[in-house]
Amino acid sequence: MHHFAFRNGVLFAEDVALDALAAQVGTPAYVYSSATLRRHYRVLREACDARRGALGDALIAFAVKANSNLSVLATLAAEGCGADTVSEGEIRRALAAGVPADRIIFSGVGKTDAELAFALDAGVRQINVESGVEVDRLAAVAAASGARATLAIRVNPDVGAGGHAKITTGGAGDKFGVPVDEAMALYARAAASPHLNPVGLACHIGSQIKDLAPLRAAFQVLRDMTQALRAQGMTVERLDLGGGLAAPYAETDETPAVAAYVDMAAQVLDGLEVEAAFEPGRLLAANAGVLLSRVIQVNARSDGRRFLVLDAAMNDLMRPALYDAFHDLIPVRPRPGEAMPHDVVGPVCETGDTFARDRLLAPLAAGDLVAFSGAGAYGAVMAGEYNSRLLVPEVLVDGDRWAVVRPRPTYDDMLAREPRAPWL
């Protein structure tokens, strides 16, 4: 469910008309709905609370990599949401947004010693360790700071899934985590260190997963490992189940219900008496945001192809270029008329700057506004200034209120960030 809907022929974000917003903010621009963020979090929270007996006081830790805007994070933090982070910068953002340190998980395959030291000093809930080398490095960092690091071992369960090969993270050939046998040995090694406190296991097998079967298989691996470790006399208190559940990007998308997902996890973990953690990203944020764009022109070529040229480009929304990802394109003020196939493109000087091929769209003309739906996750966080295009701004809506929560820089701002070498 989201809070973008038509009223009197105009697309609204909650109680704010998107054409009026575009007139003040300009385009392209990301627009987020506070009500949608809250609703998605609460649905997951209620499902977890209903299965507290199997999942414990489950932590929901939003994957900051999906949308790191401080106001988005603060909206979720006010609901009690934690944060799954993969860099010192993301930890700092979560803390600045009001997420308590003991609700922050630090993940990632390439943490530096400085980042590990920062996480320990900040007092994060746990550090998810992904290799034997990292176990040793974390022990050394903890010893140097006089701390005892709380950690979980990230397991590669050899169960890969996801909407694209580049977002599948649990297969045997993927760079994340360690195989089961190695993870068992690492857990015992960490338990023997005076500087380490292993409390659990973690896994994350991919993103945009539409089938619960691979998730169930991965969670079963964690269950079996928990029982085996306990049989060896070790303590396992937490299981970090990662994220990855699909969000619907099109009306025809069939994705598992959140309650069914949580029920499945509870069935697998039932009787273990562990505290679960979930790390949703796009599940909470994708359909809480749109990318507003304006039509520059429509190029109708003699070969019959029709190009809808927008002022948004691949530097603003990378997902179609990276993953051939689908985003619905919605006219803000639809015109009547027969739908025709369009190639939807941006102004960047690459053929890859193509959002869609042969997309059936109702008539559009220069100056019309359109909105890419499902753009609240992995949109603005991936944006850049390729072709020296200004970084896209972000707007947060809450009822009839709205605020620019990351402004569009000026060209002077962009140039001022690059001091010229003194000999030039």
Side-chain angles (χ1 to χ4, degrees):
M1 178 181 178
H2 58 76
H3 291 78
F4 296 91
F6 282 96
R7 299 183 190 175
N8 299 318
V10 180
L11 185 61
F12 274 66
E14 300 187 29
D15 296 323
V16 175
L18 289 181
D19 58 352
L21 185 61
Q24 297 192 59
V25 176
T27 56
Y30 281 96
V31 183
Y32 308 128
S33 160
S34 299
T36 306
L37 289 166
R38 294 187 187 111
R39 171 63 180 164
H40 289 175
Y41 174 78
R42 290 172 186 175
V43 167
L44 181 54
R45 179 75 269 166
E46 289 165 6
C48 289
D49 289 346
R51 301 306 301 266
R52 186 181 294 267
L55 302 174
D57 185 15
L59 173 68
I60 298 172
F62 175 66
V64 175
K65 63 181 176 288
N67 189 318
S68 61
N69 185 278
L70 287 176
S71 292
V72 168
L73 298 179
T75 299
L76 292 169
E79 294 289 310
C81 190
D84 166 47
T85 62
V86 294
S87 70
E88 178 179 333
E90 288 191 352
I91 296 173
R92 289 181 180 273
R93 282 182 174 271
L95 292 169
V99 180
D102 63 3
R103 298 182 72 78
I104 296 175
I105 295 171
F106 187 25
S107 304
V109 74
K111 313 175 194 72
T112 67
D113 287 359
E115 288 180 312
L116 292 171
F118 178 83
L120 287 174
D121 185 61
V124 301
R125 171 186 174 87
Q126 71 191 44
I127 297 173
N128 288 352
V129 177
E130 304 210 18
S131 67
V133 174
E134 190 178 15
V135 167
D136 295 338
R137 289 177 46 238
L138 179 58
V141 170
S145 61
R148 188 163 182 250
T150 299
L151 64 96
I153 302 293
R154 178 168 175 177
V155 181
N156 184 316
D158 195 11
V159 179
H164 191 278
K166 292 182 179 179
I167 53 175
T168 298
T169 58
D174 297 325
K175 69 178 181 178
F176 300 97
V178 292
V180 170
D181 289 346
E182 184 179 347
M184 295 286 288
L186 284 180
Y187 203 97
R189 194 162 100 203
S193 170
H195 307 295
L196 301 177
N197 175 33
V199 295
L201 302 167
C203 76
H204 176 75
I205 65 169
S207 191
Q208 195 57 10
I209 299 171
K210 297 181 179 181
D211 181 0
L212 294 182
L215 290 164
R216 177 185 287 274
F219 299 167
Q220 184 65 47
V221 170
L222 295 187
R223 179 187 178 93
D224 294 344
M225 291 179 66
T226 297
Q227 292 173 320
L229 287 167
R230 286 175 175 174
Q232 296 174 20
M234 281 172 276
T235 299
V236 183
E237 301 171 349
R238 303 174 186 170
L239 291 183
D240 182 342
L241 305 179
L245 189 66
Y249 282 96
E251 290 185 4
T252 56
D253 273 357
E254 295 184 4
T255 58
V258 169
Y261 166 61
V262 173
D263 284 348
M264 177 274 292
Q267 291 166 14
V268 176
L269 271 54
D270 192 32
L272 281 185
E273 297 185 355
V274 292
E275 188 170 84
F278 295 91
E279 297 172 349
R282 76 181 72 243
L283 186 67
L284 301 189
N287 287 306
V290 299
L291 175 61
L292 270 182
S293 181
R294 195 177 294 276
V295 178
I296 296 175
Q297 62 195 33
V298 180
N299 297 344
R301 293 198 325 198
S302 59
D303 62 1
R305 298 206 74 82
R306 184 178 299 270
F307 291 87
L308 182 70
V309 185
L310 305 178
D311 65 358
M314 63 185 289
N315 70 292
D316 305 311
L317 180 61
M318 283 289 292
R319 294 188 70 253
L322 283 176
Y323 313 129
D324 296 319
F326 176 90
H327 288 271
D328 202 4
L329 190 68
I330 306 169
V332 172
R333 283 184 174 269
R335 296 172 178 267
E338 181 182 355
M340 299 181 65
H342 293 73
D343 289 356
V344 183
V345 303
V348 158
C349 196
E350 286 201 24
T351 302
D353 186 25
T354 299
F355 296 109
R357 293 281 191 188
D358 294 318
R359 181 74 60 85
L360 285 175
L361 298 170
L364 288 160
D368 286 359
L369 287 168
V370 293
F372 288 98
S373 66
Y378 304 103
V381 286
M382 289 184 173
E385 293 179 340
Y386 186 42
N387 282 194
S388 291
R389 290 168 48 81
L390 295 177
L391 195 64
V392 66
E394 296 171 88
V395 178
L396 183 68
V397 172
D398 190 358
D400 60 0
R401 304 178 296 178
W402 62 270
V404 175
V405 293
R406 184 179 72 175
R408 191 192 316 274
T410 65
Y411 286 109
D412 287 341
D413 293 333
M414 182 176 69
L415 296 173
R417 291 199 302 271
E418 300 176 25
R420 187 175 299 189
W423 58 87
L424 298 175

